[in-house]
Amino acid sequence: MTDFENPAPELLDNRRRRLIYRAQHRGTYENDLLIGDFVKARIASMSESELDEIEAVMEFPDAELADWLSGRLPIPPHADSPMLQRIRAAALARF
């Protein structure tokens, strides 16, 4: 998805803008790309419950997320969620 397909940040509400920033500034470059690009491309059409799910995913430590999203490790049952599966599928499609 190109930047032209993403809404301008000023057109998004505060919660969505904060989530984009948080997703793109995870602390590791790999997660910044994998999670940040996923969120930025889809944030405008996400429901409130999907935003809750994104926030829950971002609570996991970066090292664990990087392993799960890259497929190096399986997602453990305690962390498995439809949103994390969506992000992982998008991440694996990049490779």
Side-chain angles (χ1 to χ4, degrees), residues 9-90:
E10 60 272 7
L11 299 178
L12 298 174
D13 62 57
N14 286 336
R15 183 180 186 192
R16 284 176 170 78
R17 285 195 305 268
R18 282 193 307 271
L19 281 171
I20 290 171
Y21 181 85
R22 187 173 170 205
Q24 293 181 320
H25 297 87
R26 296 286 311 161
T28 63
Y29 184 68
E30 183 177 30
N31 283 342
D32 290 351
L33 291 177
L34 297 178
I35 299 170
D37 288 355
F38 177 90
V39 170
K40 187 177 179 185
R42 295 162 179 83
I43 194 83
S45 63
M46 286 185 177
S47 68
E48 291 296 316
S49 64
E50 288 174 315
L51 298 178
D52 292 341
E53 292 173 33
I54 285 287
E55 289 173 331
V57 165
M58 289 195 292
E59 290 300 317
F60 292 108
D62 268 357
E64 292 175 13
L65 281 172
D67 285 340
W68 301 337
L69 296 177
S70 67
R72 287 188 294 260
L73 291 176
I75 299 171
H78 76 275
D80 202 2
S81 70
M83 183 59 70
L84 188 52
Q85 290 290 341
R86 284 177 59 195
I87 298 169
R88 183 180 187 180

